[in-house]
């Protein structure tokens, strides 16, 4: 079905289910319980999960398949954001044109940067992309202020010359981005017992776009083109002597992943119509590298998992403060509680980077294939413990019954 | 006129004269062996044919067209495939994918944006690759990673990758090095079969004289970058210059 193998189809359907039911799945704790702060099912964060998921899926097409490690992908996300905001300023508050123009601009910029950077490989390629991204950042921050808004960033104003639609609403406010009238910040609440679930129009738009991107990525991975990209990573020399020109392949992969980044940038604007130069800074480029490696470079689902984990830590861990810790450990005897608070404190709040660093270190050392490899190992453990029971002692089980569902 | 014409080729590495005034003519649909002691410049000569190196002087013509200044993938698209001295395969890919890639290169050219179709649904490519793997008796290894093959199997795979392209000129750099006696004989058998069935020209570098004398119609002896003699296998066997430069050294 959908032109996918059974295994890929299963994976895709699981991701569809996760994305559609995320408002439930990410809110496992009743809203008045002490654990409610671990709930991630609010629109703002869920949107970030899927948007950064798209960013990482695209990055993985370049890095995971061809092995070319770009340190400048945030530039494409940033350009996409600026283009999207301009579309809303000039044309319409409908998000579709904004998203399309984001993808186009990111594609153009990545074609230019890729065309130059791909003349080198390895560390030189990485440095070139980093240099270009930092140049874009510097330009956006200073020289291009009329276009980018410089330090303050680019925002909508009350006097934007919007061709389709009004500059301001009847109440004199800036209009809200919408999809053919459906406003992106619209939400519906559902209360069930102690639980509160929020469904947001913006999240569902982003989730559907993510699912489409994910589907296209699976198709690409399984296509001849995807195989050629893996050939680039494996042995470029053999590829060239086999009659294939590796340059256009790497450039196409670079542009596609740049367009994914632009799509993510456009969606950010659709959720919240502003853009700033900080989206292009090198730490933002580094973050998507971490997401991809953490989840599992070259795997289909890994980048999405990595993006989710990092965004979860960033938003949940960083909100825990000393007061919350003291509450948790209050049940402990005196002395021990202050001790525990002192130990844990560096890892939360602003210190969440420390936690991320440790997790990253552990994954790279013990699970070079990322979270996906971890999941595979756990899966294998289960299979290994089940198998011997089925195969040992054939004498006593002349006709082993197949497991239900196998 | 041969299909491959090498004229007055010189190649220096720093002060080292790797090739000096090499002339070579390979007749179409023949098997031409190039032999010579280690460091004679045999691999360097092949490198000049496939665009890995550019000779300092001289010309290399394939089927009336110069190959010099062309990129490796362009030279391959002209109809020249090469098996390297140390196997060059796609180690991270499966054996089957290794064979499919050259099929795509032959069918679709140097680049094709082909990102939506499932590889498995390319039935013509799949059956071509399966047939090739069956020919080299590696079909049962189709799903293992090429990097985990034995050295002999890697060579066999690389040969399959070249043969499946149906090249007009096949360059083989020590195709049986590292193979068992049985595998060597299989390889000889395979190359013979292909030589008899298809229109193909082969230039083969080999240290194993059994392979050379089983396949070659003409032999060029290279020593210290210069061709000493070119003749039929029968005449080469007893040639005094060859004894001196090559067989004499080995004995
Ligand atoms: N890229 C290079 N740079 C410098 N010297 C080289 C290079 N390639 C080959 N040489 C030198 O050129 C000479 C010829 O090397 P070549 O590999 O062509 O020999 P060969 O006949 O293939 O030997 P073998 O039988 O050992 O494979 C050697 O002395 C080698 O060291
Ligand atoms: Mg050699």
């Amino acid at each position: 079905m959908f032109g996918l193998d059974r295994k890929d189809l299963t994976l895709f359907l699981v991701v569809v289910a996760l994305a559609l039911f995320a408002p439930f799945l990410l809110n496992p704790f009743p809203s008045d319980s002490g654990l409610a702060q671990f709930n991630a099912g609010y629109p703002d964060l869920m949107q970030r999960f899927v948007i950064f998921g798209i960013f990482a899926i695209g990055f993985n097409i370049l890095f995971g398949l061809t092995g070319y490690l770009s340190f400048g992908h945030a530039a494409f996300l940033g350009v996409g954001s600026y283009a999207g905001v301009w579309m809303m300023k000039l044309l319409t508050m409908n998000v579709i044109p904004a998203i399309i123009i984001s993808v186009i601009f990111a594609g153009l910029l990545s074609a230019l940067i890729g065309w130059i950077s791909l003349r080198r490989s390895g560390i030189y390629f990485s440095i070139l992309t980093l240099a270009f991204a930092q140049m874009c950042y510097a330009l956006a921050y200073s020289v291009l202020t009329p276009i980018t808004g410089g330090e303050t960033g680019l925002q909508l104003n009350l006097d934007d010359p919007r061709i389709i639609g009004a500059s301001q609403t009847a109440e004199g406010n800036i209009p809200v981005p919408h999809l053919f009238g459906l406003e992106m910040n619209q939400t519906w609440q559902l209360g069930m017992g102690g639980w509160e679930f929020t469904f947001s129009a913006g999240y569902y738009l982003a989730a559907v776009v993510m699912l489409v991107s994910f589907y296209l990525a699976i198709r690409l991975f399984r296509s001849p083109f995807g195989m050629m990209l893996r050939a680039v990573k494996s042995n470029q020399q053999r590829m060239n002597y086999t009659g294939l020109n590796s340059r256009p392949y790497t450039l196409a992969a670079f542009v596609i992943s740049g367009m994914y980044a632009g799509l993510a940038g456009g969606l950010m604007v659709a959720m919240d119509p502003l853009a700033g130069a900080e989206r292009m800074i090198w730490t933002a480029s580094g973050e998507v590298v971490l997401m991809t490696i953490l989840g599992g470079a070259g795997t289909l689902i890994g980048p999405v998992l990595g993006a989710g984990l990092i965004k979860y830590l960033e938003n949940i861990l960083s909100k825990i403060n000393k007061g919350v810790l003291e509450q948790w450990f209050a049940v402990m005897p005196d002395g021990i509680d202050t001790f525990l608070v002192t130990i844990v404190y560096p890892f939360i709040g602003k210190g969440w980077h420390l936690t991320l660093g440790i997790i990253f270190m552990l994954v790279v050392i013990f699970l070079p294939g990322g979270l996906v490899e971890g999941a595979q190992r756990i899966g294998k453990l289960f299979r290994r413990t089940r198998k011997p029971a089925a195969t040992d002692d054939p004498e006593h089980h002349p006709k082993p019954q197949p497991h239900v569902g196998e | 006129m041969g299909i491959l014409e090498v004229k007055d080729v010189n190649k220096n590495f720093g002060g080292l004269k790797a090739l000096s005034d090499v002339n070579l003519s390979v007749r179409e649909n023949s098997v031409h062996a190039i032999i010579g002691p280690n460091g004679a410049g045999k691999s360097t000569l092949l490198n000049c044919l496939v665009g890995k190196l550019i000779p300092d002087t001289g010309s290399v013509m394939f089927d009336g067209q110069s190959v010099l200044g062309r990129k490796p993938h362009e030279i391959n698209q002209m109809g020249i495939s090469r098996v390297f001295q140390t196997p060059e395969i796609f180690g991270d890919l499966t054996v089957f994918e290794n064979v499919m890639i050259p099929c795509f290169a032959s069918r679709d050219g140097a680049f094709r944006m082909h990102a939506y179709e499932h590889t498995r649904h390319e039935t013509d490519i799949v059956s071509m690759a399966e047939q090739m793997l069956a020919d080299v008796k590696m079909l049962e290894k189709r799903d293992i990673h090429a990097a985990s093959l034995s050295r002999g199997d890697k060579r066999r795979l690389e040969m399959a990758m070249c043969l499946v392209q149906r090249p007009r000129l096949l360059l083989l750099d020590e195709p049986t090095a590292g193979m068992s006696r049985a595998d060597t004989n299989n390889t000889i058998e395979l190359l013979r079969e292909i030589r008899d069935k298809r229109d193909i020209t082969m230039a083969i570098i080999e240290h194993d004289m059994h392979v050379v004398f089983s396949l070659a119609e003409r032999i060029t002896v290279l020593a210290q970058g210069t061709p000493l003699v070119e003749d039929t296998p029968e005449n080469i066997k007893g040639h005094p210059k060859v004894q001196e430069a090559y067989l004499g050294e080995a004995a």
Side-chain angles (χ1 to χ4, degrees), chain B residues 43 85 173-174:
Chain B
S43 299
Q85 188 166 355
D173 199 343
E174 303 190 18

Side-chain angles (χ1 to χ4, degrees), chain B residues 115-136:
Chain B
Y116 198 68
E117 189 66 48
H118 198 299
T119 309
R120 202 175 302 146
H121 298 153
E122 301 277 354
T123 42
D124 51 334
I125 300 271
V126 168
S127 56
M128 214 156 117
E130 270 172 356
Q131 183 58 49
M132 191 66 235
L133 278 181
D135 287 349
V136 294

Side-chain angles (χ1 to χ4, degrees), chain A residues 3-5 8 215-216 219-220 222-228 230-231 233-235 237-245 248-249 252 256, chain B residues 50 52 72-73 76-77 82 84 88-93 97 101-102 104-105 109-120 158 165:
Chain A
L4 300 182
D5 289 348
D8 293 339
Y215 174 75
L216 291 177
R219 294 297 297 244
L220 188 147
R222 303 295 180 228
S223 70
F225 179 75
M227 187 167 73
M228 296 305 174
R230 283 184 293 130
K233 182 180 185 176
S234 186
N235 191 342
Q237 160 136 319
R238 173 34 89 195
M239 200 174 167
N240 292 330
Y241 291 106
T242 302
L244 295 158
N245 190 357
Y249 280 104
I256 290 172
Chain B
V50 297
K52 188 169 182 175
H73 69 265
N76 174 280
Q77 294 284 352
R82 172 177 181 185
F84 284 81
E88 293 281 353
I89 53 177
F90 302 110
D92 305 330
L93 274 57
E97 287 172 326
I101 287 174
F104 278 112
F111 172 72
R112 177 167 171 195
M113 192 71 206
H114 204 315
Y116 198 68
E117 189 66 48
H118 198 299
T119 309
R120 202 175 302 146
E158 195 184 8
Q165 294 198 301

Side-chain angles (χ1 to χ4, degrees), chain A residues 2 65 69 126 213 262 280 307 326 341 372 374 397:
Chain A
F2 303 127
L65 291 179
L69 177 55
S126 303
S213 320
M280 298 179 144
E326 276 160 1
V341 169
V372 169
H397 300 275

Side-chain angles (χ1 to χ4, degrees), chain A residues 78 81-82 84-85 88 152-156 177 265-266 268-276 278-279:
Chain A
S81 292
Y82 284 125
V85 176
M88 288 184 177
T152 40
L154 187 63
Q155 292 165 344
L156 301 182
M268 282 181 184
V269 170
M271 302 299 123
D272 188 8
L274 48 86
E278 76 287 342
R279 279 191 193 163

